[in-house]
């Protein structure tokens, strides 16, 4: 119903609808509306209208930190004589995030496929993320939720959730190697992780930095951060930045990964902490 042209505040044509596991996204020529599905996956809970409105508002608030002009606000979905519509009068039956449509041809993921990314581009991205992390808030509560104990909890939870699928998605030997390496790394660097907590490096970050969430269209816009679970967003800034390093390595661009990592560590004056990234 919401893909009708007259369901939009400004008439739109050729509306595209995309599905994710947690959202339905309506893409017009210039703007986008995103509705959260009424699902509960444990790590997120969108099962009530009030919760969906809250997390729509959080999505806008948090993403304006790195894409201030792309997130336009939260609008109600109402039911009128001709059907559902974005905006309008009447009791809201749903809520939607309203966004400016970004040029997907300028997404970092798309540019990588076209060999359109240079090391200097990644230095620019590093500068944007380093500046964001320098300004990101920290507090005893953020450190409690996202500090060393959270790393232990998150990794333990990951392996517990993966274990039933060993033999289907990966073999037992690979699983054991990954788990042993992770646990050994955390034990060996316990003093560094404790020190970083004390120095205030556990901050309210992005939580999902990867190539598909970065747009190089003159400005550097980084979007779609984690709004639904503070445990996934609060953490060491090196962990936040390392997500992009990992993604670039996964996609097969170690030179660009290295350029980003080196620039980021230098800009944040943390070259001595490379082992933690």
């Amino acid at each position: 119903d919401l893909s009708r042209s007259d369901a939009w505040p400004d008439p739109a044509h050729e509306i595209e609808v995309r599905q994710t596991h947690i959202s339905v996204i309506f893409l017009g020529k210039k703007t986008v509306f995103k509705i959260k599905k009424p699902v509960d996956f444990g790590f997120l809970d969108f099962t009530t209208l009030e919760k969906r409105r809250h997390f729509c508002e959080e999505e806008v608030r948090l993403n304006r930190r790195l894409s201030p002009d792309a997130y336009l606000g939260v609008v109600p979905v109402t039911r009128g004589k001709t059907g559902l519509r974005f905006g309008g009068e009447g009791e809201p039956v749903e809520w939607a995030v309203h966004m400016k449509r970004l040029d997907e041809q300028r997404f970092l993921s798309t540019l990588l496929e076209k060999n359109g990314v240079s090391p200097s581009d990644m230095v620019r991205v590093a500068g944007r993320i380093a500046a964001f992390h320098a300004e990101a808030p920290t507090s005893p509560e953020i450190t409690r939720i996202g500090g060393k104990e959270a790393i232990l909890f998150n990794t333990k939870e990951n392996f517990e959730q993966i274990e039933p699928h060993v033999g289907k998605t990966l073999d037992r030997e690979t699983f054991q190697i990954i788990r042993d390496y992770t646990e050994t790394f955390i034990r060996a660097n316990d003093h560094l992780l404790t020190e970083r907590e004390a120095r205030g490096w556990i901050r309210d970050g992005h939580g999902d930095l990867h190539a598909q969430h970065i747009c190089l269209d003159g400005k550097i816009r980084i979007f779609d951060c984690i709004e639904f679970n503070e445990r996934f967003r609060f953490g060491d800034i090196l962990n936040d930045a390392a997500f992009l390093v990992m993604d670039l390595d996964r996609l097969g661009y170690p030179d660009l990964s290295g350029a980003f990592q080196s620039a980021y560590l230098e800009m944040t004056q943390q070259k001595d902490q490379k082992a933690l990234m």
Side-chain angles (χ1 to χ4, degrees), residues 7 28 65 112 123 126 171 177 183 208-209 263:
R65 298 176 301 172
L112 288 170
V123 171
D171 59 72
I177 289 170
E183 293 173 351
D208 201 16
L209 280 171

Side-chain angles (χ1 to χ4, degrees), residues 108 206 208-214 222 224 243-244 247 250:
L108 180 58
H206 184 279
D208 201 16
L209 280 171
H210 59 83
Q212 196 172 357
H213 290 166
I214 299 173
I222 303 174
D224 211 14
F243 204 112
L244 181 55
D247 197 39
R250 177 186 68 86

